[in-house]
Amino acid sequence: MTIPALARKLLRDLRAARWQYLAVATMVAWGVAFFVASFASYRNLAASYAFSYARLRFEDFSVAVHAAPAQVANRLRAVPGVAAVEGRLVEDVAIELPGRTATRRLVGRLVTVPGNRRPLVNDLHLVAGRYLRSATAREVLLEASFARHHRLGPGATIDVVRGAARVRMRVVGIVQSPEYFFVVRSTQDILPYPETFGVMFVAQDVLASMVGKPGLVNELRVRVDDPRRRPAAMREATRLLRAYHPEAPVPREEQPSYQLLDQDLRGFQAFATLFPLLFLSVAGATVYMLLWRMVHAQRPIIGLLRALGVGAPRVVLHYLAAAAVVGALGGLAGSVLGHLLARVTTHWYATFLQTPVVLTPLRWTVLAAGWLIGTGTCVLAGIVPARAAARVRPAQALVEPTDAAARVLPLDRLLPGLRRIRLAWRLPVRSLFRQPRRTLSTIFGVVAAMSLIIVAQGLLDSSTAALDLFLGSAADDVRAEFLDYQDRGLVERIRGWPGVLWAEGTLEVPVEFRKGPRTYAALLVGLEPGTRLQRLADDGGRPVRPSPHGLLFGQTLRDTLGVEAGDVVQVTVPLARVPHRTRPVHAARVAGFVWQPVGTIAYLPADRVRQLLGETLGMPPGAVTSVRVKVAPRALREIRQRLAALPSVGAVHVQADFRRMLADLMAFARRFYTAMSVFGMALAFSITFNTVTMNVLERTNEVATMRTLGVSRARIVAWITAENLLIAAAGVLLGLPAGRALTEAFFRAAQTEEQMALFSMQIVIAPRTYGLATAAVVVVMLLSQLPALAHLQRLDLARATKERAT
């Protein structure tokens, strides 16, 4: 026997089982495509962010101070390793959009930039219009996502409201800032909300005169010439700024927008590895089963080849060649498809985040890696069956195997009740035990298919449940945010407005908690006793009330600080908020814990917060920072307008608008999870089609015998269908818990520690997801057997009986 003859046999084998091999190749293609698309998108986004940060001269670290002369920037420029410094003012003010109703009042963060030159640190990318031309003109540059949300462009005007004063600013340009590729207010407020918060850039002198701080700065942004010199530069900057109450320097890795994008990228990288690995593992297992069954079916042919002198290495290579062909073709198709998907995904993602530069090069190394992974997966899966084929001896080839996996179990003795069932229904049950290896391999395919569907949908269910819990924790309809501390007497007056069902104030203070060597910045929220509008619950969903005996921590603070109920923690406020040279350290006891899906927040009764921090921060008696209002539905518009008209209000947040914003964010995430579901469904179909088709076609000789004995086609189809449905039922019973376990494992592996700190989710899989997975598997099982059953319907009995006899 020569190699060309073996090659012809390989072609005949591929042609004879073309649908099974095509299904496996499709599985490999899906896995490789997902790997290439996700990993290339990750590389594209990482390169786009890095290029944008470098081009716009993003900071290496920043230092916030209470107030310092602008000349301190010159002192920092002299620090060894410092390449550039920009001192600036940053103030949150109330703004209104003229030409629209007063309900459009919101919070604007005004950030100063040089009026006569571009910033040396954190430069701006101009999207539309022009840059500032004067250091004194009342002109403003709008951050692009805020401008897009409110449909503002060059030529529009914005009113800056500060107390009774109102200053009209003219929009001259739309820009993107490296500080706000992902626009969030702070680490404690990480959800983007362009409806009521926007970032704007003005000339230094304009904002300084507006807020009464001429010649002063409260932030310094620094670039270094070598990252290795940054730690020393940060220490020296703290020493030089000591007289101005500096906060601890913040490296770029902890800048909120950068941190969130970096965490998102790392999560993307995990998905780019884990989900394709899941795909390809299942594809490899299917190749293994396909080749194992082929070797089992071709034992007489293998024995003949060995008798004619074909050596074991040639037999191994022959069967590995089938696996390699499938893997190579699937890997090639998947690499090409993955590249196209990567371009679409990168542009879609970068557009959502307003990234200035989007890079989508042809990444040959990723394509080659995808092809090699697809090919290698199939080849590795084929090694064991190929070696098993090489061990077949000519004399053994004509004898049916008698190992334990092929023995017929005495089912009637094990299940006595089965004998009372009609023979027509006993046969499908007996068939399950007559070929355990075939049955188990098919069940494995069903379990794998269900697991893939549950993982994709389960992650979406868990995200939705976390946001529902977050939204459900607030029972108010409208929240007004004050620019300065207000007395709770204002809350009582609002409570008396017509249409107001209830109103209560809250007191929110950014603080730092310390326990031993561990520290964490968080938001301390003071709630009124018997709060009606803030619902707190533990991780079991049981209601929790604010405790006068101490703090209620979320799970992030609990885990980060390593505290338990009864422990004492130290509480300090940022130095930049303290109007004197030192900041006192306060002690507070931990009373218990609540479950928080988003953010890092601690809760206390409002009176305890005032008692703890009132003197340090100069709070008035009964201070509040916001008011939450429950209103009659028909009065919502009127109450919103009345709140916005209060001179102390910076922004009015409507819960319905917030829900819509989160729905938009979830719609973006839903597209990603839907893509995962589509891949999962496709792989589920490929797995089930392959295993069921092999299962049915292996019955050719058996069916021929039954047809020769006079059994009708309809009865044979019913038996095979019943057997497949029994297998599907067993697979579903195992697949449901396996899918949940895999979802939990996948989530833990894909989430970074920082992501889990800011976004905490419990795995929640909706009943509809289990129902969808079950229905999908059953439908696919029934559809998958149709081609094979059609083949059996066309069976040539004479030929099949002859093959059986030989």
Side-chain angles (χ1 to χ4, degrees), residues 277-289:
L277 179 63
L278 185 61
F279 269 62
L280 293 171
S281 298
V282 174
T286 307
V287 170
Y288 169 84
M289 290 187 295

Side-chain angles (χ1 to χ4, degrees), residues 28-85:
V28 174
W30 280 121
V32 170
F34 199 98
F35 166 76
V36 172
S38 52
F39 199 77
S41 296
Y42 158 73
R43 294 281 300 275
N44 290 343
L45 290 170
S48 299
Y49 297 158
F51 187 87
S52 298
Y53 284 131
R55 179 179 174 181
L56 298 178
R57 300 189 287 271
F58 182 51
E59 67 195 57
D60 289 301
F61 70 91
S62 64
V63 184
V65 296
H66 181 64
Q71 290 77 12
V72 298
N74 296 328
R75 300 176 64 183
L76 293 190
R77 291 188 186 101
V79 173
V82 170
V85 180

Side-chain angles (χ1 to χ4, degrees), residues 489-532:
L490 175 60
V491 177
E492 294 172 358
R493 292 197 300 272
I494 293 171
R495 194 178 297 162
W497 289 356
V500 172
L501 303 178
W502 183 251
E504 61 185 44
T506 57
L507 179 58
E508 300 178 353
V509 183
V511 298
E512 183 180 88
F513 293 107
R514 178 183 295 273
K515 176 68 165 60
R518 301 181 181 181
T519 61
Y520 203 88
L523 190 66
L524 178 59
V525 175
L527 300 175
E528 294 299 327
T531 173
R532 303 182 190 179

